[in-house]
Amino acid sequence: MTEVRSILRVVDPQTVREGAGVKLRRSIALPTLDNVDPFLLLDDFRSNNPADVLAGFPMHPHRGIETVTYMLAGNVAHRDSIGNAGVIGPGAVQWMTAGRGILHEEMPQPVAGILEGFQLWVNLPAAAKMIPPRYQEFYAEEIPELVTLAGARVRVVAGQVEGLRGPVTEIEIQPTYLDVSLPAGASFSLATPEDHAVLLYLFEGEAEMAGQWLQATRLVVFDAGNAVEIRAGASPARFLFIMGKPLREPIARYGPFVMNTREEIQQTLRELRSGVFPPT
Ligand code: MN
């Protein structure tokens, strides 16, 4: 039986400064919303003012998590301690599994003054927090897109929609990550595993879900159920649709490190201070 999810929580993104001074809008990892298990952070760095973003994210460490960067416009240049370097361009995704440790740099490069993208942090289960780091990077043309019968244009970064599977695979929390555009009058519905956490980040226009009309820019956290239904009215809408399997494990977080215990955080800081981070 279909049980459409109702809305558990609507979050107004808060403006914060991160990295070397990047101005962005954060909707998970706030004093009022620490996490939505298994998701630890959601940042929106869309801006038409280069001064907001150019400071970037100089070389910094991560451990115990995955960072997912998805771009709409402009580029983010990156390089890291295991020898990768490249550019994440419009429509591309970088799914970075930090595992036991990585140092990397993420530097925005607006094009025509515009940079648009999002970063999601995904938790790793205790058993995978110390795995070797790895990357999955896909160009725009490698991310499949479909138009559903109900008129939704869907880019599938991870997960599956109407038999179309996204390129990001073998992630512990079995994620679905979609970029959904709804023209006026179109709708989007999807079956959602009952045990998954389900998020929607409405970043353009307005849409109706669970009997409620919402306007961009908002994060929606859905309640229990096995399906979602979202529709646009007289104007279009666009949103990220994200779901994954909760880990239900203790969270000890300190900046770019997310472990299970304070001792694991202390150990990480000791490694950093003594110059043996990231471990090889
Ligand atoms: Mn980073």
Side-chain angles (χ1 to χ4, degrees), residues 60 62 67 96 104 106 119:
H60 60 277
H62 289 290
T67 68
M96 190 277 283
H104 77 164
E106 303 159 285
Q119 188 167 91

